């Protein structure tokens, strides 16, 4: 058989292949030749063949049939064989093949070889891909080599030990004695690897960490070494751009970080040297910056004194001004991590950070944006917002959503004035309107509702924005809601803040109808505008036009629109007397943090319709449940229907107490009572006190039905004397099942600031076996604890 | 394992995506390796003009970072943990390239192709077990010449 071709030849031949197919053909031919050569057990050319195989493996072709051959090469006596063999082992074998265990013996022999290079090869292979079993077997040999005087081997042994510890953490103890003198080495390479070994041990085991801190006095030793590095002059071997052995410095700093973390003594011992490194290192090249960066990380992690921390943040600030993008990026990331703890220090670099918003690189812009939002506070809100809005205008779409949300959050927390807040929101909606998140629409609506004095200004600006552009859905939705609510302010030209525009009712309706028919509007938007048009029927005089629009949409293909239109039509026809009340101004909404199904609406003295069925609520996505009105029945008045009386105006503070949604209801020992028991319907009251306000009594009614038939359309109403305030939450259901199979519960909250005796009149309506039943009763037997 | 402050792999790729050297310090399946190589290639060629360190999430549980530098037509990439010091590893890459340059006398891509096993030797002299081992260029070169004489 002719001698197999040399490696060089093969590589050259393969490179001449012009197509993938040609290459594959050559390789297959060669593989076949190599396979037959292996079968012949030819020692002379094995090395060459395996080398060729490795090259083909690197190109991506399977080469596993060469694994055993690698082992044979390792067992050979020739250095070249061993070298290729180990390389092949590292490339082709890994832990999952059982074959690799066969290597263990070879490696063991080689670790004791007379030539250091062979020993080195063995250490290297073990260190790169040794499995746990191999490590266990060979750990002793590695430990022996750690103590040898040959520095070349000691370096390799140290890192090999690191690998062993990673694979088999229990063996860490074994290497402990060898580490005793590691740091007194002069040889930088050994020093470097020793530090790595010590780092690994300290990271893995807190016991080791404590041991090294106390017994070995590691910190002073490291400090000394670091000092020598900085102070000593020019050392040509390990010098990089004028700094002696930066790699070693970085590793020492990292080890110091681990040693100093949450340990006061160690942190103190290293304060000086850290300050020294921070101030003396040259920053003109990347090398110096690498060391400074590691120093900053260390300072941030240990318990350093505040002066040092300020120094670290200033270094980061300087990084931000550096031309190199890498350094700026690294600085921004670190600042983001520290902005919570060292807020003031970071604030000083605010202007630089804001400048980074204009950087060309995407990652830097993102970091700068996050950091800017973290830095916004009451003092700098105006300036920062200007920059951030400018950024919003010009940034990539991927940022716009996050930026918009960030702007809203910041504006909500720190807005200096309502007008500024509204202006900011307008700006965001008009520039990035289509990227705004869905949940911000209801939040914005609530915000606008709550700024009562700005209604005219807001609706005017929104109207003008709509005239310009109707493609951005969130903007359109908010605008149509506002026009629906405050359209009367719009046409009456009442705006104080800016020049009022002259607009007629028809023009407004034109715009809203335009939204309905436009292709740009989503179904949700169409729903908003239809309801807005409907609301205007009580605010505008051109009711007929509105009636026509609404009736057209009664046959719309969109089911949602159709349902709305049909219901509104019904409003016009059958329930016209209810229409003005239903379409009244929305009251101020309380932003509730809880996500319970019921939310309380604070009434602030305005007339408020209360409707039992939730279907006619305006289409705000927050579910709103109206509180039942209070009727002062104890003045001897007749029973009055549920809707339509003015609520006695209470001072705002008393109203606020009622809305203590988040007050936890702690049980106190108030006994329950039966309030009503007639005709099979029994109503029990149970009591709780609403903390923290002891003036509020929370009563839960439990209605049960002992008759044979269900009671449907069950409605419970209550009224209290003038000095009390009462709030009724929604019932669990309005069917009381028969034969006591279940209860309907409803929560009543009673505010009793004057601590008078609690009395209540209740009215019950339900349908039993097809006929409606109604009853009134007085409840006087409240236990004294409930109102004292 | 909470912290793996080590190098996960070292890659040398050319602009076309051909791997000139792949040294793995962690367990990966063959197809995982292939996927990683492709992902690295996709990422480094996009940001060609800036020598950069960036964060990449390879799969949902592994949070890696690639630090790379382009020298002529080759990308030298080191994959480390997200919390590692970018700048230090950039220096490491540069150190490595300088040694290659010295050893091969103005190294070019073809040198790396025809002498791939020697390149692995250089890597093994400078890195071991996922850590930087020897940083003194003179020492490394001396060792390499000794090894060469044994051949």
């Amino acid at each position: 058989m002719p001698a197999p071709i040399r490696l060089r030849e093969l590589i050259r031949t393969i490179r001449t292949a012009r197509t993938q197919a040609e290459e594959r053909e050559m390789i297959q031919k060669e593989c076949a030749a190599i396979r037959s050569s292996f079968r012949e057990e030819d020692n002379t050319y094995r090395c060459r063949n395996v080398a060729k195989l490795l090259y083909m493996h690197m190109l991506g072709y399977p080469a596993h049939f060469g694994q055993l051959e690698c082992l044979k090469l390792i067992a050979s006596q020739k250095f070249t064989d061993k070298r290729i063999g180990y390389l092949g082992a590292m490339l082709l074998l890994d832990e999952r093949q059982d074959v690799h265990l066969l290597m263990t013996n070879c490696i063991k022999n080689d670790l004791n070889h007379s030539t250091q290079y062979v020993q080195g090869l063995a250490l290297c292979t073990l260190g790169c891909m040794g499995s746990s079993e191999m490590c266990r077997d060979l750990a002793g040999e590695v430990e022996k080599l750690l103590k040898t005087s040959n520095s070349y081997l000691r370096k390799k042994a140290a890192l090999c030990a690191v690998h062993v510890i990673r694979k088999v953490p229990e063996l860490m103890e074994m290497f402990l004695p060898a580490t005793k003198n590691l740091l007194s080495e002069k040889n930088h390479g050994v020093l470097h690897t020793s530090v790595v070994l010590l780092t690994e041990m300290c990271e893995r085991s807190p016991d080791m960490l404590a041991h090294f801190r106390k017994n070995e006095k590691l910190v002073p030793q490291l400090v000394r070494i670091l000092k020598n590095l900085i102070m000593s002059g020019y050392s040509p071997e390990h010098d990089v751009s004028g700094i002696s052995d930066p790699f070693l410095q970085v590793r020492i700093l990292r080890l110091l970080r681990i040693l100093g973390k949450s340990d006061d003594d160690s942190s103190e011992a290293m304060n000086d040297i850290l300050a020294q490194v921070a101030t003396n290192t040259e920053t003109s090249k990347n090398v110096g910056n690498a060391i400074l960066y590691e120093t900053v990380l260390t300072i941030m992690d240990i318990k350093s004194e505040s002066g040092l921390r300020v120094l670290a943040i200033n270094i980061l600030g300087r990084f931000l001004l550096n031309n190199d993008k890498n350094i700026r990026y690294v600085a921004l990331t670190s600042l983001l991590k520290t902005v919570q703890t060292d807020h003031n220090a970071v604030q000083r670099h605010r202007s630089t950070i804001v400048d980074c918003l204009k950087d060309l690189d995407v990652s830097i812009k993102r970091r700068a944006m996050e950091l800017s939002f973290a830095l916004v506070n009451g003092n700098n809100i105006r300036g920062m917002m200007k920059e951030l809005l400018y950024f919003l205008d010009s940034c990539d779409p991927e940022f716009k959503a996050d930026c918009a949300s960030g702007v809203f959050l910041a504006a909500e927390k720190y807005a200096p004035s309502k007008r500024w807040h509204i202006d900011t929101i307008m700006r965001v909606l008009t520039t990035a309107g289509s990227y705004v998140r869905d949940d911000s629409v209801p939040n914005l609506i609530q915000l606008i509702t709550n700024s009562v004095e700005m209604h005219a200004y807001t609706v005017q600006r929104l109207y003008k924005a709509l005239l310009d552009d109707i493609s951005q859905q969130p903007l359109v939705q908010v605008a149509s809601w506002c026009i629906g609510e405050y359209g009367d302010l719009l046409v009456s030209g009442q705006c104080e803040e800016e020049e009022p525009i002259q607009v007629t009712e028809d023009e407004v309706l034109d715009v809203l109808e335009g939204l309905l028919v436009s292709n740009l509007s989503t179904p949700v938007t169409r729903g908003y505008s239809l309801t807005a048009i409907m609301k205007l029927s009580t605010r505008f005089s051109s009711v007929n036009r509105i009636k026509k629009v609404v009736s057209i949409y009664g046959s719309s293909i969109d089911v949602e629109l159709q349902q709305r239109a049909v219901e509104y039509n019904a409003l016009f026809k059958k329930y016209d007397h209810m229409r003005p009340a239903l379409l009244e101004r929305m009251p101020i909404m309380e932003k509730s943090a809880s996500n319970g199904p019921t939310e309380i609406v604070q009434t602030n003295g305005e007339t408020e319709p209360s409707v039992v069925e939730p279907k006619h609520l305006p289409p705000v996505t927050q579910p709103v449940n109206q509180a039942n009105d209070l009727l002062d029945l104890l003045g001897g008045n007749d029973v009055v229907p549920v809707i339509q009386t003015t609520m006695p105006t209470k001072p705002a503070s008393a109203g606020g107490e009622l809305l203590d949604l988040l007050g936890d209801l702690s049980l106190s020992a108030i006994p329950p009572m039966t309030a009503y028991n007639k005709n099979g319907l029994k109503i029990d009251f149970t009591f709780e006190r609403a903390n923290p306000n002891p003036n509020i009594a929370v009563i839960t009614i439990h209605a049960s039905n002992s008759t044979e038939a269900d009671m449907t359309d069950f409605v419970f109403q209550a009224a209290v004397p003038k000095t009390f305030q009462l709030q009724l939450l929604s019932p669990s259901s309005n069917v009381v099942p028969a034969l006591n199979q279940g209860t309907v519960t409803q929560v009543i909250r009673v505010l009793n600031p004057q601590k008078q005796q609690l009395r209540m009149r209740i009215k019950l309506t339900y349908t039993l076996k097809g006929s409606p039943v109604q009853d009134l009763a007085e409840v006087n037997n409240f236990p004294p604890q409930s109102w004292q | 394992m909470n912290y793996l402050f080590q190098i996960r792999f070292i890659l040398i790729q050319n602009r076309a995506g051909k791997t000139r050297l792949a040294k793995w310090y962690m367990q990966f399946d063959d197809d995982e390796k292939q996927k990683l190589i492709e992902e690295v290639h996709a990422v480094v060629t996009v940001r060609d003009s800036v020598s950069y360190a960036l964060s990449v999430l390879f799969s949902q549980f592994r949070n890696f970072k690639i630090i790379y530098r382009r020298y002529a037509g080759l990308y030298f990439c080191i994959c480390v943990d997200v919390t590692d010091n970018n700048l230090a590893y950039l220096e490491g890459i540069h150190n490595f390239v300088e040694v290659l340059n010295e050893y091969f006398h103005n190294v070019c891509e073809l040198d790396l192709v025809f002498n791939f096993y020697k390149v692995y030797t250089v890597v093994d002299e400078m890195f071991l077990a996922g850590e930087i081992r020897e940083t003194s260029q003179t020492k490394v070169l001396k060792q390499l010449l000794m090894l060469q004489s044994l051949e």
Side-chain angles (χ1 to χ4, degrees), chain A residues 83 96 155 203 251 294, chain B residues 3 29 85 131 134 151:
Chain A
R83 219 241 305 241
R96 279 153 308 149
K155 285 180 276 190
E203 274 174 10
R251 290 302 326 214
E294 195 74 32
Chain B
Y3 21 75
D29 295 331
N85 186 338
E131 303 286 348
E134 181 58 72
E151 280 182 47

Side-chain angles (χ1 to χ4, degrees), chain A residues 486-494 501-505 508 540:
Chain A
Y486 311 121
D488 48 334
L489 296 177
L490 188 58
V491 293
S492 63
Q494 275 181 14
I501 56 173
Q502 305 300 324
V503 78
T504 66
E505 293 182 1
V508 174
F540 283 2

Side-chain angles (χ1 to χ4, degrees), chain A residues 7-8 11-12 15 51 54-55 58-59 64 79-80 83 87 90-91 94-96 117 124 127-128 152 155-156 159-160 163 166 187 192-193 196 203-204 237-238 240 245 247 251 254 286-287 289-290 293-294 325-326 329-330 361 363-364, chain B residues 1 3-6 18-23 25 27-30 47 50-53 55 84-88 90-92 95 110 113-117 120-121 124-125 128-129 131-139 143 146-147 150-151:
Chain A
L7 177 62
R8 269 191 178 259
I11 297 179
R12 220 174 277 135
R15 283 173 66 82
L54 291 177
Y55 178 73
M58 273 182 65
L59 287 177
H64 299 109
F79 181 74
T80 27
R83 219 241 305 241
L87 178 62
M90 282 195 273
L91 285 180
D94 54 37
E95 291 188 1
R96 279 153 308 149
Y117 297 103
C124 187
C128 287
Y152 175 74
K155 285 180 276 190
K156 294 207 178 207
L159 287 183
C160 197
H163 180 86
R166 282 191 188 136
N187 183 311
H192 182 107
T193 50
V196 175
E203 274 174 10
R204 296 246 155 203
E237 270 201 2
H238 295 275
V240 180
D245 210 341
F247 299 99
R251 290 302 326 214
R254 191 197 266 174
N286 185 47
V287 196
N289 288 327
Y293 179 56
E294 195 74 32
K325 286 201 209 311
N326 294 326
Y329 176 87
V330 144
D361 185 272
S363 302
I364 290 189
Chain B
M1 226 177 282
Y3 21 75
L4 281 175
F5 291 121
Q6 62 167 112
K18 265 211 152 87
T19 310
R20 293 301 174 209
L21 179 131
K23 182 83 191 182
Y25 292 103
Q27 281 299 334
F28 292 111
D29 295 331
D30 280 338
R47 315 177 71 149
V50 179
S51 85
Y52 214 80
S55 288
D84 273 339
N85 186 338
N86 300 359
L87 309 174
L90 273 175
E91 283 303 310
N95 209 20
L110 278 182
V113 173
F114 278 95
N115 298 302
F116 68 93
Y117 53 96
Y120 275 102
T121 315
D124 286 335
E125 281 300 310
L128 201 151
E131 303 286 348
I132 299 180
R133 181 177 78 77
E134 181 58 72
T135 54
S136 154
Q137 294 182 12
T138 35
K139 284 224 173 89
Q143 300 293 359
M146 285 293 298
L147 282 167
L150 287 175
E151 280 182 47

Side-chain angles (χ1 to χ4, degrees), chain A residues 154 158 182-183 185 189-199 255:
Chain A
R154 279 179 92 176
L182 278 181
L183 287 183
E185 266 288 328
V190 181
L191 210 45
H192 182 107
T193 50
S194 316
V195 172
V196 175
L197 178 58
L198 290 168
T199 313
L255 183 53

Side-chain angles (χ1 to χ4, degrees), chain A residues 141-162:
Chain A
E141 306 293 328
V142 176
E143 202 253 337
K144 228 169 33 183
L145 285 173
L146 198 50
K147 296 198 270 219
T148 160
S149 51
N150 185 330
S151 54
Y152 175 74
L153 287 177
R154 279 179 92 176
K155 285 180 276 190
K156 294 207 178 207
L159 287 183
C160 197
V162 169

Side-chain angles (χ1 to χ4, degrees), chain A residues 44 126 135 161 239 312 384 439 449 496 507 574 643 734 785:
Chain A
T44 6
L126 182 60
C135 289
D239 177 274
M384 288 291 276
D439 59 353
T449 325
E496 292 166 352
E507 284 172 338
K574 281 203 288 184
I643 317 171
N734 53 9
Q785 300 102 307

